[in-house]
């Protein structure tokens, strides 16, 4: 389980090695993504709070990167933070997420990105629930839910 100390260490000293890399030109990303997905995932934008389609969904499944479809978060670690963005306590695995210090807007935060394609996801904060104490605050437009198939 990742801790805030480990997140800061990644942001300052380098990130875990991804399983693979996906790199495309802006033109290729624009062809694949909607204008809003491109603005958020490729240009480090953000959606308005409480506007994202995935904010109130709690279906079982995996939340994958909108750009490269890499698994990022599992529905079992999603929680209602009241912030207006989907929130998670841990990534699906340690090397799924890339961390960078973000000093935009006069504050210091830790930006989180897909470690495979560098898509901007959102930010992580040390004010989440136990046991990790982490809150990954993620834009809905940066992810797609791959619902768990239930065999009946």
């Amino acid at each position: 389980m990742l801790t805030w100390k480990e997140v800061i260490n990644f942001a300052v000293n380098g990130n875990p090695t991804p399983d693979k890399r996906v790199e495309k030109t802006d033109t290729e990303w624009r062809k694949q993504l909607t204008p809003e997905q491109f603005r958020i995932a490729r240009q480090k934008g953000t959606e308005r709070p409480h506007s994202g389609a995935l904010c109130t969904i709690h279906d079982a499944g995996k939340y994958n990167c909108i750009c490269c479809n890499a698994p990022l978060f599992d529905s079992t670690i999603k929680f209602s933070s009241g912030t207006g963005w989907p929130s998670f306590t841990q990534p699906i695995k340690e090397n799924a997420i890339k961390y960078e210090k973000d000093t935009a807007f006069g504050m210091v935060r830790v930006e989180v990105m897909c470690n495979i394609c560098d898509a901007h996801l959102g930010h992580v904060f040390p004010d989440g629930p136990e046991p990790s104490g982490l809150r990954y605050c993620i834009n809905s437009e940066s992810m797609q839910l791959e619902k768990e198939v239930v065999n009946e």
Side-chain angles (χ1 to χ4, degrees):
M1 176 180 316
L2 285 175
T3 65
W4 182 245
K5 183 178 178 180
E6 291 166 316
V7 165
I8 295 300
N9 185 53
F10 286 142
V12 173
N13 297 315
N15 286 287
T17 303
D19 292 339
K20 64 180 180 178
R21 289 288 301 157
V22 171
E23 296 184 25
K24 296 183 180 184
T25 65
D26 278 354
T27 302
E28 291 171 311
W29 288 125
R30 283 184 193 278
K31 286 180 185 175
Q32 176 183 328
L33 304 170
T34 68
E36 185 69 349
Q37 289 168 340
F38 182 84
R39 183 185 73 79
I40 291 170
R42 305 313 312 172
Q43 297 179 316
K44 300 182 185 279
T46 191
E47 61 201 19
R48 291 184 334 276
H50 305 286
S51 68
L54 300 177
C55 281
T56 57
I57 292 176
H58 292 281
D59 296 341
K62 306 256 184 291
Y63 289 85
N64 297 341
C65 177
I66 197 66
C67 295
C68 70
N69 205 38
L72 302 170
F73 300 98
D74 189 274
S75 62
T76 59
I77 47 84
K78 185 177 184 193
F79 70 100
S80 297
S81 66
T83 61
W85 290 275
S87 297
F88 304 87
T89 58
Q90 290 284 304
I92 202 159
K93 60 183 182 175
E94 184 175 285
N95 71 342
I97 302 294
K98 179 179 182 178
Y99 303 88
E100 282 189 8
K101 183 178 174 183
D102 177 1
T103 57
F105 305 110
M107 59 182 108
V108 178
R109 302 180 291 177
V110 176
E111 177 187 3
V112 291
M113 293 162 285
C114 173
N115 204 18
I116 290 176
C117 73
D118 298 335
H120 170 74
L121 304 173
H123 292 85
V124 61
F125 302 94
D127 61 2
E130 294 301 328
S132 75
L134 298 176
R135 175 175 54 94
Y136 287 80
C137 191
I138 309 298
N139 289 290
S140 287
E141 292 287 342
S142 295
M143 300 181 297
Q144 55 194 344
L145 176 60
E146 181 183 329
K147 291 185 181 179
E148 189 174 291
V149 177
V150 179
N151 295 328
E152 295 182 19

